[in-house]
């Protein structure tokens, strides 16, 4: 029976071979997949393009932009994007090959960790657990911080374990650089590793009996802490206020929590239950068996270093759980990703209590079972289609999941949405002009919006802008652009979740899409349609217009009229109107915009009376949007005949603000 067991070297060779094959398979999968960068990936890739453009224009002085590469986020991932993009000819969705490297590195360290604690079979089981984890591989196509954090989190714990076991200077230095890299990827890293690190440092100092050894330990600890203090902490010190404000906005948005009414006792089990649904039944059973085996191995008979490892693994799971239980407003699913290697190490203990012959057979069974999970999830061997199974309602407060026994299928997506084609069309049409183009993008669909298009534009033309719907510059962007993208059909992908998006963006996007779909005369006079593209996901058509003539007064009046109701609600809309007339060199209209702003928002009652008199005496000829604004002000002054006269004059015209006037009249 002994022949069925493997020695440590054989387990290591077997694990290395499988890790290499798994990494090559992931690289092939990523090469075949054509998923465009989505979500936070865009921020990081944009930061990479920004740095490359700055280096090209300003030389090494362009490095001064590094701290500001990514809004509300540390810059390390954007630095990585800038390093990788030239190697893939600046194609945004090709840089994700680095994820396969980070994934393989996390698997290798998980193997080493579990092997050091419980032998080669445990390391093999840990590696298989992480390589086949159905929660991890769907994130391969994203360029976000959480997957690299998997590597740096388990690498940090590995260094801490070696330090607890009596390691030397090199481990402290390695730990310091892991600290710096992890913090510069995301604050989540600190939530996971800070308490375990302080615990190990405390044990290290307590266990040193003589002053000389304690002094040496202090020097090493301070060295490890000095590296992130010099490299990473200056960024956090400079952006502390911005980060606090951003987290406050996240809390108010309610986008990342199911507990919209505030803290609930269900918060205590939210992440554990979500984790169970994400890793599925077989991994869950293996993990629970590993936790039991780990307690038996490390708790009663373990060496001091093994008990330290148990403390490390336990604290690295306990502290983030406590943090998110307290901060229930930011419960994103992807925050569970960095702890997956920790779970893998724990899962490795599932077979340590078995006799050698059964340990080998159990490891072989784990290999076969987890291999089938990989073949099913990433390649669809035992299912059809590329989508996950239908969602089921798992709980009243937990988002619908596929259940613990229904495994998602995420095969490579071969169909390619025309982001790159649209960007290339715009670049070809724009030519070699020195000033980068501005592209106004109205549709806000799940797989296409200004956010997604931006990186593809910047891949073709450095510093090109793809502008979405923003209330603070919407009038300016609709007028002063080089290209305009509108849609026929669906315009906003959040129609079923309207309560969870910006109501202004939703209403404005849908309203603008309807206007541009009708191709009004004031649009076509200064624009020409250069191409149309079908959206394979939402059955809508994207229309790409190029501005063919300068902005005229008539076009500006109609664009402003689209926002007749907004200009009597928000004072900053008049700032935009004033800028429009300033750019068009209409100084009288610019001053009139400022007068309306003062009358409507800044208590300028005398100014309002002057506007009333000027209109009634026929000394000024108001545009429809101005008539609408004056009608609202007249209503506030109880001057009903004047209000009705103004409204009726708008309703009887073919103007963009006629619909708003009808609503006011009713």
């Amino acid at each position: 029976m002994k022949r069925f067991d493997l020695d440590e070297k054989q387990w290591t060779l077997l694990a290395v071979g499988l890790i290499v094959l798994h990494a090559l398979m992931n690289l092939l999968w990523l090469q075949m997949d054509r998923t465009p960068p989505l979500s936070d990936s865009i921020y990081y890739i944009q930061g990479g393009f920004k740095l490359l453009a700055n280096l090209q224009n300003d030389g090494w002085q362009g490095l001064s932009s590094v701290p500001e590469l990514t809004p509300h986020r540390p810059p390390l991932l954007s630095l990585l994007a800038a390093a990788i993009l030239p190697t893939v000819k600046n194609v945004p969705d090709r840089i994700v090959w680095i994820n396969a490297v980070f994934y393989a590195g996390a698997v290798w360290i998980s193997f080493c960790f579990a092997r050091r604690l419980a032998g080669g079979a445990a390391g093999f089981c840990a590696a298989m657990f992480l390589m086949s984890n159905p929660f991890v591989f769907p994130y391969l196509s994203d360029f976000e911080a959480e997957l690299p954090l998997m590597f740096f989190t388990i690498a940090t714990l590995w260094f801490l374990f070696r330090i607890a076991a009596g390691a030397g200077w090199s481990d402290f230095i390695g730990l310091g650089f892991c600290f710096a890299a992890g913090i510069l990827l995301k604050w989540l890293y600190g939530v996971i590793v800070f308490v375990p690190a302080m615990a190990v440092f405390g044990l290290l100092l307590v266990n040193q009996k003589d002053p000389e050894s304690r002094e040496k330990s202090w020097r090493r600890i301070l060295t490890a802490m000095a590296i992130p203090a010099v490299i990473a902490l200056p960024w956090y010190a400079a952006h502390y206020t911005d980060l606090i404000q951003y987290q406050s906005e996240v809390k108010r948005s309610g986008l990342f929590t199911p507990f919209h009414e505030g803290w609930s006792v269900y918060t205590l089990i939210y992440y554990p239950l979500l984790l169970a649904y994400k890793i599925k039944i077989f991994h869950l059973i293996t993990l629970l068996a590993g936790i039991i085996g780990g307690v038996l191995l490390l708790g009663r008979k373990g060496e001091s270093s093994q008990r330290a490892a148990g403390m490390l693994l336990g604290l690295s799971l306990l502290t983030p759980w406590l943090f998110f239980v307290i901060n229930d407003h930011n419960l994103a699913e992807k925050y569970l990703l960095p702890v997956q290697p920790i779970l893998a190490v724990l899962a490795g203990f599932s077979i340590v209590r078995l006799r050698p012959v059964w340990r080998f057979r159990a490891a072989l069974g784990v290999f076969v079972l987890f291999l089938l999970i990989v073949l099913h999830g990433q390649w669809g061997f035992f299912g059809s289609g590329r989508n996950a199974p239908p969602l089921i309602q798992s709980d009243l407060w937990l988002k619908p999941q596929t259940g613990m026994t229904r495994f998602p299928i995420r095969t490579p997506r071969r169909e390619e949405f025309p982001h790159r084609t649209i960007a290339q069309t715009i670049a070809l049409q724009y030519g070699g002009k020195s000033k980068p183009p501005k592209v106004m993008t109205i549709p806000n669909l799940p797989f296409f919006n200004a956010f997604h298009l931006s990186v593809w534009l910047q891949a073709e033309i450095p510093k090109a802008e793809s502008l979405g719907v923003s209330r603070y510059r919407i009038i300016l962007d609709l007028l002063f652009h080089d290209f305009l993208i509108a849609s026929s059909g669906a315009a906003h992908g959040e129609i079923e979740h309207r309560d969870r998006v910006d109501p202004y963006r939703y209403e404005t996007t849908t309203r603008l899409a309807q206007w541009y779909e009708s191709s009004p005369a004031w649009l076509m006079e200064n624009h020409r349609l250069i191409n149309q593209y079908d959206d394979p996901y939402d059955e809508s058509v994207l229309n790409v217009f190029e501005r063919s003539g300068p902005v005229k007064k008539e076009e500006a009046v109609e664009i402003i009229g689209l926002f007749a109701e907004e200009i009597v609600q928000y004072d900053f809309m008049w700032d935009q109107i004033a800028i429009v007339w300033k750019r068009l060199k209409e100084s009288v209209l610019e001053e009139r915009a400022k007068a309306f702003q003062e009358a409507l928002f800044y208590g300028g009652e005398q100014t309002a009376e002057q506007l009333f008199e000027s209109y009634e005496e026929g000394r000024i000829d108001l545009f429809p949007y101005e008539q609408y604004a004056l009608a609202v002000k007249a209503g506030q002054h109880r001057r009903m005949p004047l209000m009705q006269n103004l409204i009726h004059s708008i309703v009887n015209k073919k103007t963009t603000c006629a619909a708003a006037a009808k609503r006011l009249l009713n």
Side-chain angles (χ1 to χ4, degrees):
M1 301 296 286
K2 187 177 180 180
R3 65 181 180 275
F4 289 104
D5 196 16
L6 301 178
D7 58 29
E8 293 297 297
K9 183 178 180 180
Q10 291 171 321
W11 280 118
T12 300
L13 291 174
L14 180 60
V16 168
L18 289 174
I19 292 171
V20 171
L21 287 175
H22 182 253
L24 293 175
M25 181 193 71
N26 286 332
L27 288 171
L28 175 63
W29 189 94
L30 289 169
Q31 181 63 30
M32 296 173 61
D33 187 63
R34 287 295 182 267
T35 304
L38 301 174
S39 188
D40 288 357
S41 303
I42 304 298
Y43 288 118
Y44 297 116
I45 299 173
Q46 279 183 325
F49 278 124
K50 180 180 178 181
L51 179 58
L52 290 175
N54 290 339
L55 289 173
Q56 182 178 359
N57 295 333
D58 305 325
W60 291 111
Q61 293 181 352
L63 291 174
S64 62
S65 65
V66 167
E68 310 300 330
L69 289 180
T70 315
H72 317 303
R73 294 160 179 83
L76 182 58
L77 205 56
S78 289
L79 283 171
L80 187 61
I84 298 175
L85 280 167
T87 69
V88 293
K89 299 180 180 179
N90 287 347
V91 180
D93 63 348
R94 297 296 87 196
I95 68 174
V96 291
W97 64 263
I98 195 66
N99 285 340
V101 177
F102 282 121
Y103 196 177
V107 173
W108 170 246
I109 297 175
S110 300
F111 167 79
C112 294
F113 208 146
R115 180 187 62 178
R116 174 65 177 81
L117 293 174
F124 177 83
C125 187
M128 288 304 305
F129 181 96
L130 188 54
M131 285 190 291
S132 61
N133 192 328
F135 179 46
V136 177
F137 66 75
Y139 287 89
L140 277 174
S141 59
D142 295 334
F143 192 75
E144 296 194 35
E146 281 72 23
L147 205 145
L149 275 183
M150 278 199 346
F151 170 78
F152 284 105
T153 297
I154 195 64
T156 299
L157 297 179
W158 173 242
F159 280 123
L160 287 171
F161 167 69
R162 288 174 56 86
I163 288 169
W169 271 104
S170 60
D171 291 285
F172 282 92
I173 294 173
L175 177 66
F177 281 106
C178 279
F179 280 158
I183 295 172
L184 283 176
L185 281 170
K186 199 162 193 170
W187 56 266
L188 177 62
Y189 169 85
V191 173
I192 299 172
V193 307
F194 178 77
V195 172
M198 294 302 103
V200 168
F201 292 159
L203 286 176
L204 185 64
L205 294 172
V206 168
N207 292 333
Q208 302 297 335
K209 303 302 181 183
D210 60 286
E212 184 178 350
S213 298
R214 189 176 292 114
E215 182 182 351
K216 182 187 294 185
S217 297
W218 266 116
R219 286 200 301 268
R220 292 177 175 181
I221 291 172
L222 291 175
T223 299
M225 300 299 290
I227 294 173
V230 171
I231 297 176
L233 290 187
W235 185 90
Y236 279 89
H239 296 81
Y240 174 78
T241 303
D242 175 62
L243 289 174
I244 296 299
Q245 291 177 347
Y246 180 66
Q247 289 302 313
S248 298
E249 292 175 6
V250 169
K251 184 176 183 178
R252 288 194 300 269
S253 72
L255 287 174
F256 302 106
T257 179
F259 306 106
H260 298 288
E261 303 302 323
W263 193 90
S264 168
V265 68
Y266 292 114
T267 311
L268 295 170
I269 60 172
Y270 178 79
Y271 264 154
L273 185 58
L274 180 62
L275 178 66
Y277 279 116
K278 291 300 182 183
I279 67 175
K280 305 303 177 185
I281 187 67
F282 299 120
H283 284 71
L284 180 61
I285 293 174
T286 306
L287 175 60
L288 294 176
I291 293 173
I292 295 172
V295 170
L296 295 175
L297 174 68
L298 306 180
R300 294 187 298 178
K301 299 180 180 180
E303 302 173 358
S304 59
S305 61
Q306 290 179 319
R307 289 196 296 271
M311 177 197 68
L312 274 174
L313 298 173
L315 288 176
S316 60
L317 294 176
L318 179 63
T319 51
W321 173 75
L322 287 174
F323 177 85
F324 287 108
V325 164
I326 297 170
N327 296 277
D328 61 281
H329 62 274
N330 197 359
L331 297 172
E333 294 182 358
K334 61 184 180 182
Y335 290 171
L336 289 171
L337 207 60
V339 303
Q340 298 306 307
I342 303 170
L343 303 181
V345 175
L346 292 173
F349 298 136
S350 58
I351 60 175
V352 297
R353 304 294 293 178
L354 300 177
R355 294 165 58 184
V357 62
W358 288 106
R359 189 184 307 158
F360 176 80
R361 291 173 177 174
L364 181 62
V366 165
F367 167 74
V368 173
L369 178 62
F370 288 172
L371 176 62
L372 295 177
I373 292 173
V374 172
L375 294 176
H376 172 73
Q378 285 188 260
W379 301 98
F381 272 39
F382 310 107
S384 59
R386 60 176 174 81
N387 296 317
L391 297 177
I392 58 175
Q393 187 65 43
S394 53
D395 193 273
L396 292 175
W397 43 267
L398 190 66
K399 289 182 180 179
Q401 304 293 325
T402 60
M404 293 189 194
T405 59
R406 305 177 73 180
F407 290 77
I409 303 174
R410 175 60 173 90
T411 55
R413 293 173 177 170
R414 293 180 178 275
E415 66 270 24
E416 185 172 0
F417 189 79
H419 292 96
R420 190 178 187 184
T421 305
I422 293 174
Q424 290 175 336
T425 299
I426 290 173
L428 181 65
Q429 200 70 31
Y430 195 66
K433 299 177 183 177
S434 58
K435 188 178 179 181
K438 290 185 177 182
V439 181
M440 178 61 196
T441 307
I442 294 174
N444 187 31
L445 302 168
F447 290 93
F448 180 85
N449 54 43
F451 194 49
H452 300 157
L453 180 63
S454 59
V455 294
W456 300 89
L457 274 174
Q458 290 164 9
E460 301 294 331
I461 308 174
K463 295 189 176 183
E465 293 184 83
S466 178
L467 309 165
V469 172
S470 169
R471 68 175 70 192
Y472 298 104
R473 50 176 299 131
I474 181 64
I475 294 175
L476 295 171
D477 292 341
L478 285 174
L479 285 170
F480 302 103
H481 56 254
D482 300 291
F483 296 88
L484 171 74
I485 300 178
S487 64
S488 303
H492 204 297
E494 295 288 345
I495 190 169
E496 295 179 1
H497 306 284
R498 183 176 170 183
D499 58 325
R500 299 189 64 186
V501 299
D502 181 353
Y504 177 86
R505 177 175 292 183
Y506 174 85
E507 298 290 350
T508 304
T509 299
T510 52
R511 179 155 47 93
L512 289 175
Q514 292 170 356
W515 272 104
Y516 283 108
E517 187 173 357
S518 64
S519 298
W522 49 265
L523 168 69
M524 300 311 297
E525 184 177 350
N526 297 311
H527 292 76
R528 64 187 186 89
L529 182 67
I530 59 174
N531 219 327
Q532 293 181 311
Y533 301 91
D534 293 330
D535 182 343
Y537 301 102
D538 292 277
E539 298 182 354
S540 59
V541 177
L542 302 177
N543 302 309
V544 182
F545 297 93
E546 182 184 19
R547 177 167 282 282
S548 56
V551 178
K552 297 181 179 180
K553 182 189 297 186
E554 296 75 17
E555 181 187 1
V557 170
E558 294 302 325
I559 288 292
I560 297 171
L562 287 170
F563 303 93
E565 291 170 312
E566 285 89 337
I567 65 176
V568 297
Q569 297 178 45
Y570 308 112
D571 61 338
F572 54 79
M573 299 296 284
W574 290 98
D575 292 330
Q576 298 181 55
I577 296 171
I579 294 173
V580 168
W581 297 128
K582 183 177 182 180
R583 290 188 182 183
L584 296 181
K585 301 185 181 343
E586 297 280 354
S587 58
V588 174
L589 298 179
E590 179 187 355
E591 292 302 318
R592 206 156 76 193
K594 295 177 181 178
F596 269 97
Q597 185 183 48
E598 181 181 351
L600 287 167
F601 298 101
Y602 301 150
E605 298 304 322
Q606 184 177 355
T607 303
E609 290 297 333
Q610 292 174 354
L611 289 170
F612 292 148
E613 292 176 6
S614 298
Y615 177 76
E616 290 175 325
E617 295 174 3
R619 286 188 280 114
I620 57 173
D621 186 16
L622 298 180
F623 294 127
Y625 74 87
E626 293 174 315
Q627 291 177 320
Y628 181 89
L630 195 61
V632 171
K633 191 64 180 176
Q636 294 173 354
H637 280 238
R638 305 291 182 181
R639 302 181 65 162
M640 305 312 294
L642 176 59
M643 174 183 174
Q644 292 178 358
N645 175 268
L646 287 163
I647 292 299
H648 282 293
S649 67
I650 303 172
V651 170
N652 295 328
K653 296 177 181 178
K654 290 184 178 180
T655 177
T656 51
C657 60
K662 290 179 182 178
R663 286 191 290 271
L664 183 61
L665 188 63
N666 293 332

